[in-house]
Amino acid sequence: MPTMPPEAANRPKPKIPHSQDFSDLPKPVVPKTENRKLLKGQKAIVTGASSGIGRSIALALGHAGADVCVNYVAGEDKAQAMVNELRGHGHTAFAYRADVSSEEDVAKMFEAVRDEFGTVDILINNAGLQSDAPVDQMTLTQWNKVIGVNLTGQFLCAREAIREFKRRGVRPEISCCAGKIICISSVHEKIPWAGHVNYAASKGGVMLMMKSIAQEVAPYRIRVNSIAPGAIRTPINMQAWDTPEHYNELLKLIPYKRIGEP
Ligand code: NAD
């Protein structure tokens, strides 16, 4: 019998502000999927895993049988709560603080994961942020911060992961490939975004970084892919959905007429 993932069943109904009437549209349905342990024995790192999209990915990986390192940069309590939630479902997890834009932090995180889990099979390159300003008012600090986390951070983590995948090679009893990297990009890897030039440039960079790495490491049985989400209701874009006016503005861009839930 298919079962609904526990976090989907228990997820509180989102409070969606409505001043536009979409009541004649069909209600969204959460798919009922069986929790098959397809990733049993695999070890995963999810960067920025204590909130939003990363949090949901970490839970889904846990439900699929992977052991999960919950990376965070601030908010130790939230990261520990996330680990407790995973352990509450019977999954194996631990939290590790590392700034993904720091070469030293990233190297130490991979070392810690090897100590704890023995190896790494899956990297979810998710950590990201925005620091918005009109281009003529954007400071170099704002530019460097966003490029540093969203693009350089993904490169540093991917580089460490590939070093580990190549060192270990394929274990056929665990997976048909030596390792997997999923980069969380954005629709703004392709769609220009006025007022967010640092963010759009970082995601455009992620797109070609991902494709170039994928081309380079495919012969080693390493898979590199990305997901480019549209608007998802998380802290990163709260100003786009926090009032009925903002939300309705956002819906003009979304044919589905609802924001994504992480
Ligand atoms: P979020 O703010 O909930 O999550 C981002 C996470 O990254 C946070 O936990 C934050 O602490 C962490 N982080 C920030 N800087 C870090 C650093 N230096 N080192 C380690 N962790 C760091 O927002 P989200 O929407 O869940 O964002 C996750 C990813 O999804 C981001 O890459 C974002 O660009 C991308 N994305 C989001 C949307 C959306 O609509 N929410 C759309 C497209 C892409």
Side-chain angles (χ1 to χ4, degrees):
M1 230 349 227
T3 54
M4 189 182 288
E7 81 284 0
N10 301 331
R11 192 181 288 152
K13 291 274 171 298
K15 288 193 186 66
I16 300 177
H18 270 301
S19 57
Q20 243 172 305
D21 186 15
F22 293 122
S23 54
D24 55 332
L25 296 179
K27 296 277 167 283
V29 175
V30 178
K32 294 184 179 178
T33 50
E34 193 182 354
N35 284 322
R36 287 185 294 154
K37 305 287 180 197
L38 292 173
L39 302 179
K40 197 168 163 26
Q42 300 199 38
K43 319 295 179 187
I45 297 176
V46 183
T47 66
S50 60
S51 67
I53 295 172
R55 187 181 181 286
S56 291
I57 292 177
L59 276 172
L61 289 174
H63 296 331
D67 299 345
V68 183
C69 168
V70 171
N71 160 256
Y72 69 101
V73 72
E76 193 171 349
D77 292 354
K78 250 170 90 182
Q80 200 47 54
M82 175 64 200
V83 167
N84 294 342
E85 189 173 346
L86 280 159
R87 288 180 181 163
H89 288 296
H91 311 322
T92 301
F94 76 104
Y96 192 87
R97 204 211 73 80
D99 175 350
V100 296
S101 65
S102 154
E103 187 173 28
E104 192 186 343
D105 276 17
V106 170
K108 284 185 178 159
M109 173 167 71
F110 274 78
E111 216 175 287
V113 174
R114 275 192 302 271
D115 286 349
E116 191 76 19
F117 291 157
T119 189
V120 179
D121 299 278
I122 300 167
L123 166 68
I124 309 293
N125 249 339
N126 167 75
L129 44 74
Q130 285 179 220
S131 182
D132 310 327
V135 63
D136 55 332
Q137 288 162 40
M138 185 173 286
T139 64
L140 183 58
T141 307
Q142 281 178 297
W143 171 268
N144 283 339
K145 177 78 184 166
V146 172
I147 298 292
V149 174
N150 295 11
L151 181 56
T152 309
Q154 292 213 12
F155 158 71
L156 291 171
C157 292
R159 188 180 66 173
E160 282 306 317
I162 287 162
R163 286 174 177 167
E164 175 60 14
F165 300 160
K166 282 188 172 179
R167 182 196 66 77
R168 180 196 8 87
V170 178
R171 290 166 301 161
E173 69 285 8
I174 297 290
S175 173
C176 57
C177 61
K180 287 147 291 214
I181 299 174
I182 297 179
C183 299
I184 306 301
S185 181
S186 161
V187 289
H188 294 295
E189 69 177 26
K190 279 197 171 160
I191 302 174
W193 204 14
H196 309 258
V197 60
N198 47 2
Y199 185 84
S202 73
K203 296 300 185 180
V206 164
M207 178 178 72
L208 271 182
M209 179 195 74
M210 178 280 289
K211 291 180 180 177
S212 303
I213 298 177
Q215 193 181 48
E216 182 177 326
V217 300
Y220 299 94
R221 301 289 172 262
I222 297 170
R223 289 206 306 264
V224 189
N225 291 283
S226 71
I227 295 171
I232 310 293
R233 188 194 308 271
T234 73
I236 208 173
N237 59 357
M238 201 187 292
Q239 75 294 341
W241 51 263
D242 58 350
T243 66
E245 293 71 33
H246 291 161
Y247 189 66
N248 284 326
E249 251 334 278
L250 178 65
L251 291 195
K252 286 182 187 164
L253 303 170
I254 306 177
Y256 213 64
K257 296 303 167 208
R258 74 172 178 84
I259 192 171
E261 302 296 337

